[in-house]
Amino acid sequence: MTARKQLEWLGGVGRACPSRESAQHAWYENARLAGAREVLEAANATAAPLRTTENRDQVNALLNQHGNELFSGAGSARQVLEQVQRQAGRD
């Protein structure tokens, strides 16, 4: 749902702060959180986009595949990440 009307409705009932700036007013007007507008606007003004790799789907699949090694203690974070990087072609 990216249409302004739907985003305004969601914001108006307090369900979500719309990502579309033109609809955010509905959330700000109904959230009733002191300072929320100032904080979110400051964060948006200084935010940097998340950088990711071109092969993020492959990296994500490999992290899921090898993640259990971390939780079971079979491998360290360094070992698992090095394995993922090798398999993803990023030595």
Side-chain angles (χ1 to χ4, degrees), residues 36-80:
R37 179 181 218 127
E38 294 77 15
V39 169
L40 290 173
E41 287 179 353
N44 287 334
T46 59
L50 176 65
R51 292 184 53 196
T52 187
T53 64
E54 292 176 4
N55 61 341
R56 65 183 175 270
D57 291 336
Q58 180 187 15
V59 171
N60 188 46
L62 289 167
L63 288 170
N64 286 321
Q65 178 183 340
H66 296 291
N68 63 339
E69 296 171 29
L70 290 172
F71 292 107
S72 69
S76 69
R78 170 171 267 165
Q79 291 168 328
V80 170

